[in-house]
């Protein structure tokens, strides 16, 4: 395919409308294995630090394993919403505290749909865990950037490829701090492998998705110097 044949409108549409899907996941419709395999194949076209290809995608369809993972996610969710979960200072800083913050209303909606998903996660037909070889808790910022930078682009590509085929997904990390090891035990994930996320996957219901309301792009774009 040459450049003239790339359908920019479709590419931009998929890039701008791949939303976090929680309430519109079709919990009844099965997801075909071939579609998941093709989307993972597309995901592995993403960049990979040092050509490492150290990514792994653990696809969970077994109902008992899904239920066990969902129960752990719900436990951390319940603790988060009841205020008993101590938040990492970095994460605490991301929370909008006042309605004057333009992100406040969006975060409130996000929490509401997050609660819904936590209550239904065991019913989602597929859970994908993007993982990467290595651990960087004690490493410097370069190793951390390289490790997460070698799995998150692939994870996003997976979500885009799924969305283009009518499947919704959402990138979840909230539980990792609290139950990564327990989930590793359920799935026999080795100790030296990092779970980057948990991605519930299902066909989405209803019509198309819209671009999200984001802060003006000028706020996050810097030319030649910060500010
Ligand atoms: C690093 C990261 C972690 C996230 N963790 C969670 C999570 O634990 N639970 C959840 O429901 N959504 C999670 N999300 C999804 C965000 O809530 C979502 O992307 C955000 O609300 C914006 O919505 P949009 O993606 O539809 O634009 C996460 C997203 C990112 C990028």
């Amino acid at each position: 395919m040459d450049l003239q044949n790339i359908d920019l409108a479709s590419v931009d549409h998929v890039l701008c409308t791949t939303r976090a899907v929680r309430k519109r996941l079709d919990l009844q419709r099965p997801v075909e294995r071939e579609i998941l395999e093709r989307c993972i194949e597309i995901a592995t076209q993403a960049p990979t630090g040092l050509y490492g290809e150290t990514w792994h995608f653990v696809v969970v369809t077994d109902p008992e394993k899904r239920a066990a993972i969902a129960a752990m996610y719900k436990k951390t969710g319940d603790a988060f919403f009841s205020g008993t979960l101590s938040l990492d200072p970095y994460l605490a800083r991301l929370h909008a505290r006042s309605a004057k913050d333009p992100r406040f209303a969006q975060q409130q909606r996000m929490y509401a749909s997050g609660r819904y998903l936590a209550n239904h996660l065991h019913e989602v037909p597929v859970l994908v865990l993007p993982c990467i070889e290595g651990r960087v808790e004690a490493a410097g910022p370069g190793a951390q950037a390289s490790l997460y930078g070698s799995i998150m682009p692939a994870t996003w590509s997976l979500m885009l490829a799924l969305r283009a085929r009518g499947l919704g997904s959402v990138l979840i990390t909230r539980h990792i701090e609290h139950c990564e090891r327990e989930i590793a035990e359920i799935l026999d994930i080795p100790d030296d492998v990092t779970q980057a996320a948990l991605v519930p996957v299902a066909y989405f219901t209803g019509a198309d998705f819209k671009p999200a309301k984001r802060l003006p792009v000028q706020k996050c774009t810097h030319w030649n110097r910060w500010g």
Side-chain angles (χ1 to χ4, degrees), residues 18-22 73 106-107 110 113-115 117 152 156 159 170-175 196 212-214:
T18 301
R19 299 270 68 80
V21 187
R22 303 184 186 91
Y73 185 65
Q106 277 153 323
Q107 283 189 358
M110 177 189 79
S113 75
R115 275 203 184 98
L117 181 64
M152 286 312 196
W156 181 232
M159 293 169 71
V170 48
L171 192 153
I172 287 178
T173 62
R174 191 176 62 212
H175 61 292
K213 273 200 188 116
R214 300 287 203 233

Side-chain angles (χ1 to χ4, degrees), residues 148-171:
Y148 287 104
S150 295
I151 186 63
M152 286 312 196
T155 303
W156 181 232
S157 290
L158 172 70
M159 293 169 71
L160 294 169
L162 289 165
R163 188 261 183 277
R165 289 161 175 78
L167 290 123
S169 63
V170 48
L171 192 153

Side-chain angles (χ1 to χ4, degrees), residues 175-197:
H175 61 292
I176 290 179
E177 180 97 25
H178 309 280
C179 55
E180 184 186 10
R181 202 80 311 274
E182 288 92 326
I183 291 178
E185 275 165 28
I186 296 170
L187 302 172
D188 298 324
I189 298 172
D191 287 352
D192 58 351
V193 167
T194 298
Q195 292 168 44

